[in-house]
Amino acid sequence: MEKLREICSKTFSPQDMEMLDKAIEFTKQTHSHQVRHSGEPYYIHPENVAIMLAQMGMDSHTVIAGLLHDVIEDGDDYSAEKLAAMFGQDIAEMVDGVTKLTKTGKKNIISREDIQAESLRKMFLAIANDVRVVIIKLNDRLHNMRTLQYCSEEKQIRKAKETLDVYAPLAHRFGMGALKCELEDLCMKYLWPEDYAKLEKAMI
């Protein structure tokens, strides 16, 4: 987490840095029993999401919420109320918002089209409440796409299709051109690997 601390120390107040250190320890503790498909400790993922947000120049609350974005979903009985008591209402509401975007919400959704529509619906509802929630979620998806090679082929294709249909267009609407282009490039790598390899070779 030293890279995250180094980036944030340039713009965060001493109070913000104290809160960040608290969030770092809490994140490590919450995800201590988890590993990613790559075999790395799970907290590497929220750490990278927070770094990406900090590099975008997001405010301290958004960066810290990015670091904590999986603790409600993956932690042992951590609620938004408990997070609010520890880190404040603003951060807790963002983490809760990201958690709600992650869940499909309806148990009877079975088709890919319905899942896509539900994802879009929840994202736009989140935008209406707090645009930062969606920015966190977009960076969460980007880091997951960057490390998708460790997942099964079925998951690679499913995540790439979802990203191309939902997340890349949303990034475009937000004017986040670099993020949109990287998402689309990563999707092509898994959906059209032969074409991707030809383009990659031509660019060398």
Side-chain angles (χ1 to χ4, degrees):
M1 297 278 190
E2 284 308 309
K3 182 178 179 180
L4 175 61
R5 294 194 79 263
E6 180 183 353
I7 295 170
C8 293
S9 65
K10 298 175 183 177
T11 56
F12 281 22
S13 69
Q15 292 78 15
D16 291 335
M17 288 303 297
E18 286 183 17
M19 184 75 77
L20 177 65
D21 286 336
K22 182 179 178 181
I24 286 172
E25 292 307 311
F26 184 67
T27 300
K28 286 184 175 181
Q29 176 187 338
T30 302
H31 298 298
S32 62
H33 62 291
Q34 295 174 285
V35 294
R36 289 176 61 77
H37 290 292
S38 63
E40 296 175 309
Y42 187 86
Y43 69 78
I44 295 294
H45 168 63
E47 175 189 13
N48 274 277
V49 172
I51 287 171
M52 292 156 68
L53 291 165
Q55 290 173 332
M56 289 176 64
M58 299 302 293
D59 65 279
S60 61
H61 283 192
T62 306
V63 173
I64 293 171
L67 183 61
L68 298 169
H69 78 268
D70 275 335
V71 298
I72 293 179
E73 182 180 5
D74 297 334
D76 298 324
D77 193 32
Y78 290 122
S79 64
E81 289 75 18
K82 289 183 179 179
L83 277 186
M86 297 176 68
F87 298 101
Q89 191 67 32
D90 188 43
I91 290 173
E93 287 181 356
M94 277 190 278
V95 175
D96 190 45
V98 175
T99 303
K100 289 174 180 175
L101 284 180
T102 302
K103 296 178 179 179
T104 57
K106 294 183 180 179
K107 295 181 180 179
N108 61 341
I109 292 177
I110 55 175
S111 74
R112 177 169 162 260
E113 291 77 16
D114 283 343
I115 292 173
Q116 179 188 140
E118 175 68 4
S119 296
L120 281 170
R121 184 188 69 80
K122 288 190 297 180
M123 282 193 175
F124 284 113
L125 284 174
I127 292 170
N129 293 323
D130 193 337
V131 70
R132 296 173 298 174
V133 170
V134 184
I135 293 175
I136 293 170
K137 187 60 185 175
L138 285 170
N139 281 276
D140 168 47
R141 176 52 61 108
L142 178 56
H143 185 254
N144 279 328
M145 289 298 296
R146 286 175 176 175
T147 57
L148 198 60
Q149 71 268 28
Y150 298 107
C151 299
S152 66
E153 183 178 357
E154 182 277 330
K155 187 171 183 179
Q156 288 173 351
I157 293 173
R158 174 168 52 84
K159 289 292 184 182
K161 286 180 178 178
E162 183 182 66
T163 299
L164 193 62
D165 290 341
V166 177
Y167 292 91
L170 191 61
H172 175 68
R173 292 188 184 98
F174 270 61
M176 301 168 72
L179 193 149
K180 167 189 173 287
C181 289
E182 186 174 353
L183 286 176
E184 290 177 336
D185 288 347
L186 290 167
C187 290
M188 184 179 184
K189 180 178 180 180
Y190 296 104
L191 296 176
W192 302 285
E194 292 183 4
D195 292 335
Y196 181 86
K198 289 177 183 178
L199 284 173
E200 192 174 39
K201 185 177 180 180
M203 293 175 66
I204 296 176

